Amino acid sequence: MNLPLSMPGTAIFDSDGFLLDPDMWNESLADRVAQTDGLGQLSELQFGLLHALRREFAKHGTVTALSHVCHLTGQGADCMQHLFPNPREAWRVAGLPNPGEEAKAYL
């Protein structure tokens, strides 16, 4: 990952590449992060998953079962592996804060 600690527009990331202030997230920032990470431009399905991740984080304040997030978007339980290289990447692109070492093991 070659993501800088800050990007234009004052978005600040921690040393693991997670957005420090999730309120700074928007789809444009998500696209820039995805492109910086070599994912290319995000699709509508990917944005749907990112928005669902963000809603679930807002409700629960923690990592939600990824299969549940897929279900919420009307996709199969394994949608994450089809839309992103790994769940950790989806969490980062969604602009969610660093979930901590234990949670990262589940992502």
Side-chain angles (χ1 to χ4, degrees), residues 48-49 52-53 56 64-74 79-80:
L49 184 74
L53 275 172
E56 288 302 295
T64 302
L66 301 174
S67 60
H68 176 65
V69 176
C70 288
H71 172 75
L72 292 173
T73 62
C79 78
M80 188 75 64

Side-chain angles (χ1 to χ4, degrees), residues 10 29 52 77 82-83 93 101 104:
T10 66
L29 178 62
H82 298 293
L83 297 175
V93 175
E101 293 305 313
K104 281 191 285 189

Side-chain angles (χ1 to χ4, degrees), residues 1-4 7 13 16-18 29-42 84-86 88-94:
M1 164 182 51
N2 295 322
L3 191 65
M7 294 183 82
F13 298 84
D16 289 331
F18 292 94
L29 178 62
D31 248 342
R32 287 187 296 175
V33 170
Q35 289 179 30
T36 298
D37 287 0
L39 301 178
Q41 190 165 0
L42 296 170
F84 289 94
N86 58 63
R88 183 182 184 277
E89 182 73 14
W91 189 264
R92 277 186 2 81
V93 175

Side-chain angles (χ1 to χ4, degrees), residues 4-14 18-21 24-25 29 32-33:
L5 292 180
S6 65
M7 294 183 82
T10 66
I12 307 294
F13 298 84
D14 71 10
F18 292 94
L19 190 62
L20 290 175
D21 181 0
M24 294 204 64
W25 185 87
L29 178 62
R32 287 187 296 175
V33 170

